[in-house]
């Protein structure tokens, strides 16, 4: 489970699949997506199974998308380091 991304900004979602479909456990925005797998490792205690990422270099867009996703999914974890 190595890092999959170069150190660029983006958004991420930590999810699991259950009987009702996809459940979003955590959402975040970061200046460095190369650490997304480490975030998944920390969120395994919440039942996280996979991390989905979206490259998004603009900080303003990252923050706006994070707010929209949080409002829609109401996750247990919200991370924002840029």
């Amino acid at each position: 489970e190595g890092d999959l991304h170069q150190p660029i900004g983006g958004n991420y979602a930590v999810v699991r699949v259950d009987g009702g479909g996809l459940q979003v456990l955590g959402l975040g925005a970061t200046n460095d997506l190369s650490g997304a797998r480490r975030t998944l490792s920390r969120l395994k205690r919440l039942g996280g199974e996979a991390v989905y990422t979206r490259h998004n270099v603009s900080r303003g867009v990252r923050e706006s998308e994070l707010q929209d996703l949080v409002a829609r999914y109401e996750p247990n974890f919200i991370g924002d380091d840029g």
Side-chain angles (χ1 to χ4, degrees):
E1 288 206 13
D3 294 334
L4 300 178
H5 294 289
Q6 295 179 359
I8 62 172
N11 294 63
Y12 60 88
V14 177
V15 302
R16 75 171 168 218
V17 178
D18 59 22
L22 190 71
Q23 183 179 9
V24 177
L25 303 174
L27 294 166
T30 182
N31 288 322
D32 183 358
L33 278 174
S34 68
R37 287 266 180 226
R38 288 186 294 279
T39 299
L40 174 61
S41 295
R42 288 193 310 266
L43 293 179
K44 290 251 187 199
R45 68 182 180 276
L46 297 176
E49 296 173 345
V51 60
Y52 291 91
T53 60
R54 171 171 152 64
H55 293 165
N56 197 332
V57 178
S58 167
R59 182 178 187 157
V61 173
R62 281 197 308 270
E63 291 173 354
S64 178
E65 288 181 351
L66 178 60
Q67 290 174 3
D68 289 346
L69 291 166
V70 167
R72 166 64 177 87
Y73 293 103
E74 301 177 357
N76 294 329
F77 168 85
I78 303 166
D80 187 358
D81 67 350

